[in-house]
Amino acid sequence: MEKESDQNFGQWARKYPELGTGPVPIEPCVSPEHFELERERIFKRVWLNVGRDEEIANPGDYYVKDMAVWGTSIIVMRGRDGKVRAFHNMCSHRGNKLAWDTKGNCRAITCKFHGWSYDTAGRLTGVPDEKNFFEFKRADHGLTPVATDVWEGFIFVHLDPNPKETLREYLGEVADQLEGYPFGQLSTRFTYLADERVNWKVLLDAQQEGYHLPVLHRRTFSKTIVSEESATNAYRSVAMRLYKYHRMLATSGVGDQASVLTPIETLSRRFGATTMAAMGGGTYTGNAKTVLTGSFDFWVIFPNFVLALMEGTYFTYNLWPQSVAHTLWEVRTYYPPAKNAGERFSQEYAKCTLRDPLLEDGGVHEKVQSMLASGARSHFTFQDEETLLRHGHHVVAEFVK
Amino acid sequence: MSEQLLPSQFEDLEHFAAAWSLPTERARSRKRLSSPMSEIQAFYDAILPQAPVIIDYLNGFSLDEMPVRERCLFNMLLSLAEVANAVELFKEPGVIDGFDPERFTPMHE
C-alpha cells in the first residue's frame, strides 16, 4: 500500500505522539462494569451541559431533566433574582418527586404529597401543619442543590455542590477560544431525540472523525466536504486540537461546487445558512461572517457535549448514557430567528439536511454496538484522521483508572 | 365542490394541498415516507417552479399571524423542504440504510 507522498502523512499522530498509533481496546464500550466506573468517576465528577439559558428566559421558568447517569432527576430554574440554579427534583420531606411535568413557570413549587412548597431559589417557604414537627427549622430543609453555572448561555451542572474545578477552569482553552461566539443571536432552536441501543462512546466516535464522510455520507454531507476532483476521495481535517479533556477538529469544505447546488439548496441559500452551505463554506445571503478555523468546527466538550459550529447556524449533541448499550442522543440545531416565510423555509430545509445525514449515522450505531458485543474482536484500529477517537478513549481511561 | 384551501392565484396547486399541507415536521416526514416516489416527484415538480413566487408572496405576511389560506400554502412549502432530499439526493422516499425515523423524534413542530 502506497503511503501518502507528501509530508502530511501521519500529521496528527506526529502532533500528538503521546497517544501512540497502536490498537485501542473495545472492552470499555461493551462492559457493564466499565460503564459503572464511568458513571462514578466521570459523569458524577465533571460539569455536564443541560441546555441553554434561553430555555428559561424569565424568572420562575424551569425545566426538568432526567439525569439517568446520575440516577436522579433535576429541576433547572431561573430564580426571581435572575440566577440560574439546579436542584434534585425531590421534596426534602419524604422524597416525593416535586415537578412531574417537563417545563413550566412558577412562583413557588409545591409537593403534591403533603404540600411543602419552595421558592424559586430552592428555599422552603411553606409547610402545612408545621407546628406538629419537632424542633423544626425551615432553613434546614431547602431543596438539595447541584452546582450550576452558565458559560456563553450554556447551562452546566455538577453533581457535587462544591466542585473542585469551576466551570471556567474545566472548559479551559475551549472557553478561551469560543468566548464571544454569537450563540445568543442564533436563538431559534429545534430539538431531536433519538433513543439508541448503543454505548455513548460508540455513538460519539461515529461522529468525531471525517474518515467516514466519503463512504457513509456519499449521498449527503460528503458532497459539500470532500471535493469530487480529489484524486483519493479522502477526507482531511484542516486542524485538530487536543486539550486535557476536550478536543476539536476543523474541516474546510468545497464551497459552491456545482454538485452541491441542487435546486432547493440553491433556493434556500437565498434566505439563510443551509446545512450544506454552512458546512462546506459556501455562500448565502444575509448574515455577517464570524471567525472559524475551518468552514465546520467540531468541538467535543468532555464527556458528552458537542458544539458543531458553522457560519450562520450551529448544532449540538448531548449524549445521555442510560446503560452500557443504551444512549439518548439529543440533537439541537440553532438558527437566527426567522423574520419571514423564506427564512423559515430555508431553516426547514437546513434541518432536514442535517436530520437525514444523521439518520445515515444512526443506521450504523446500533449495528456496530451489536457486533462489538459479540466479543469477536478485542481492539479497534484507528487511522490518523481518527485521532480524536484515540484521545477520547485515552481521557476516559485516565478518569477510570 | 370541496372547500378552497389555498390563495386563489395558486389554484393550480390546490389538488396537492389536502395531502401535503401539514403542520408539523413529523407529519410531513411521515407523508414523505409513506408516499410512492411518483407522488413525491409530482408534488416536487409542480411546486418547485413556483416556489420563488410563493416565497415572495408569503414574505408579505407575518409568520405569527398568517391567514388560513396563506398558512396552508406555507405548510405546503415546508413539505417541499421535507421532500427535497428524497428527490435530489436519495432518489427514493427514505434515507437509504438509515436509522428508523420513528425513533429519531422531533421535539418541535
Side-chain angles (χ1 to χ4, degrees):
Chain A
M1 183 86 187
E2 196 179 338
K3 291 292 184 190
E4 202 160 326
S5 54
D6 62 40
Q7 70 277 21
N8 283 340
F9 171 71
Q11 58 178 325
W12 310 121
R14 278 188 279 111
K15 187 175 177 189
Y16 298 104
E18 65 279 12
L19 292 175
T21 55
V24 171
I26 287 171
E27 195 258 348
C29 296
V30 297
S31 156
E33 294 76 21
H34 194 276
F35 177 72
E36 287 309 311
L37 292 174
E38 290 174 351
R39 183 202 292 277
E40 295 302 323
R41 296 181 185 176
I42 298 174
F43 287 90
K44 291 186 177 181
R45 293 186 188 178
V46 300
W47 289 93
L48 301 174
N49 170 258
V50 290
R52 289 276 309 164
D53 63 2
E54 295 112 29
E55 295 172 69
I56 44 173
N58 302 306
D61 284 355
Y62 68 89
Y63 61 85
V64 172
K65 194 93 193 163
D66 178 32
M67 300 290 284
V69 74
W70 285 355
T72 191
S73 160
I74 61 171
I75 302 177
V76 183
M77 178 147 44
R78 187 177 299 278
R80 294 276 142 200
D81 58 359
K83 191 171 179 220
V84 177
R85 298 177 182 83
F87 306 96
H88 289 269
N89 185 14
M90 178 186 189
C91 181
S92 305
H93 172 220
R94 293 264 298 278
N96 185 31
K97 187 178 261 194
L98 267 185
W100 294 4
D101 48 5
T102 57
K103 60 181 179 178
N105 179 278
C106 65
R107 293 195 69 83
I109 192 154
T110 302
C111 180
K112 296 177 196 293
F113 199 174
H114 302 87
W116 284 33
S117 57
Y118 305 85
D119 71 8
T120 58
R123 291 176 294 231
L124 180 62
T125 51
V127 179
D129 198 16
E130 185 172 353
K131 62 184 184 305
N132 219 27
F133 280 96
F134 307 95
E135 296 172 26
F136 189 82
K137 288 205 288 283
R138 287 185 185 183
D140 296 338
H141 302 277
L143 296 179
T144 308
V146 297
T148 311
D149 203 354
V150 180
W151 169 77
E152 294 291 317
F154 294 100
I155 301 170
F156 286 77
V157 293
H158 195 301
L159 184 61
D160 183 345
N162 300 297
K164 289 183 185 68
E165 276 178 310
T166 65
L167 174 61
R168 187 64 179 70
E169 286 165 352
Y170 180 69
L171 294 174
E173 287 157 296
V174 174
D176 296 340
Q177 301 229 4
L178 292 181
E179 244 146 38
Y181 196 84
F183 295 110
Q185 294 170 25
L186 304 165
S187 58
T188 291
R189 178 183 64 248
F190 301 95
T191 303
Y192 298 94
L193 193 61
D195 186 327
E196 300 198 346
R197 299 288 154 174
V198 64
N199 181 265
W200 68 277
K201 299 184 298 302
V202 172
L203 202 168
L204 180 61
D205 285 355
Q207 303 290 318
Q208 61 181 342
E209 47 90 354
Y211 180 36
H212 73 291
L213 283 166
V215 181
L216 187 66
H217 298 307
R218 62 193 176 280
R219 299 178 182 92
T220 56
F221 284 161
S222 184
K223 292 175 187 289
T224 201
I225 288 180
V226 181
S227 170
E228 292 197 332
E229 282 97 61
S230 136
T232 57
N233 196 35
Y235 165 87
R236 288 291 179 269
S237 299
V238 295
M240 263 188 208
R241 295 199 285 273
L242 310 181
Y243 304 104
K244 186 177 174 190
Y245 312 129
H246 319 297
R247 65 203 80 110
M248 74 87 76
L249 65 77
T251 293
S252 194
V254 301
D256 295 325
Q257 196 161 292
S259 62
V260 185
L261 295 172
T262 62
I264 298 196
E265 176 69 37
T266 304
L267 177 66
S268 299
R269 285 184 185 200
R270 285 175 46 197
F271 303 102
T274 67
T275 304
M276 299 287 260
M279 205 174 260
T283 50
Y284 61 93
T285 314
N287 291 289
K289 290 278 180 190
T290 51
V291 179
L292 297 166
T293 300
S295 55
F296 179 58
D297 289 5
F298 191 89
W299 292 83
V300 181
I301 297 178
F302 185 78
N304 67 332
F305 182 46
V306 167
L307 270 173
L309 307 182
M310 299 156 280
E311 193 60 51
T313 175
Y314 75 99
F315 63 85
T316 62
Y317 302 149
N318 297 85
L319 310 183
W320 295 112
Q322 309 293 298
S323 67
V324 63
H326 184 192
T327 301
L328 295 182
W329 182 18
E330 193 175 19
V331 178
R332 295 170 145 199
T333 174
Y334 292 85
Y335 306 92
K339 294 188 293 295
N340 55 42
E343 292 181 5
R344 181 65 187 80
F345 168 75
S346 174
Q347 289 173 4
E348 187 69 12
Y349 173 70
K351 74 182 158 84
C352 289
T353 308
L354 175 65
R355 181 202 63 201
D356 286 354
L358 296 187
L359 291 172
E360 293 178 322
D361 287 306
V364 170
H365 298 156
E366 292 185 343
K367 292 182 179 68
V368 171
Q369 186 69 34
S370 69
M371 293 317 297
L372 295 180
S374 74
R377 295 191 69 85
S378 61
H379 286 75
F380 296 109
T381 303
F382 296 146
Q383 64 125 284
D384 202 37
E385 281 295 342
E386 296 171 301
T387 296
L388 264 64
L389 285 68
R390 201 178 283 287
H391 179 251
H393 285 258
H394 170 77
V395 176
V396 166
E398 288 293 306
F399 268 85
V400 163
K401 80 179 181 195
Chain B
M1 186 68 191
S2 58
E3 191 195 347
Q4 180 189 336
L5 297 174
L6 299 179
S8 299
Q9 64 270 44
F10 299 105
E11 66 181 344
D12 56 322
L13 297 174
E14 184 74 25
H15 61 291
F16 290 107
W20 290 100
S21 178
L22 299 164
T24 65
E25 179 180 333
R26 179 52 44 113
R28 291 187 288 271
S29 170
R30 283 179 175 158
K31 172 61 184 164
R32 163 182 158 185
L33 296 172
S34 63
S35 300
M37 207 55 210
S38 57
E39 186 188 342
I40 294 171
Q41 188 75 51
F43 168 67
Y44 175 95
D45 289 343
I47 192 170
L48 178 66
Q50 298 195 54
V53 177
I54 292 171
I55 290 172
D56 282 346
Y57 173 71
L58 291 176
N59 280 353
F61 295 86
S62 158
L63 274 177
D64 297 325
E65 292 161 30
M66 229 175 237
V68 174
R69 286 174 182 164
E70 280 72 19
R71 172 65 58 187
C72 183
L73 180 65
F74 179 54
N75 286 338
M76 208 165 79
L77 183 71
L78 296 183
S79 283
L80 179 65
E82 175 64 50
V83 303
N85 292 339
V87 173
E88 297 177 348
L89 301 181
F90 301 119
K91 322 292 183 198
E92 54 184 87
V95 174
I96 297 167
D97 291 335
F99 188 69
D100 176 3
E102 288 293 320
R103 293 170 59 208
F104 198 97
T105 309
M107 309 302 283
H108 48 262
E109 294 203 329

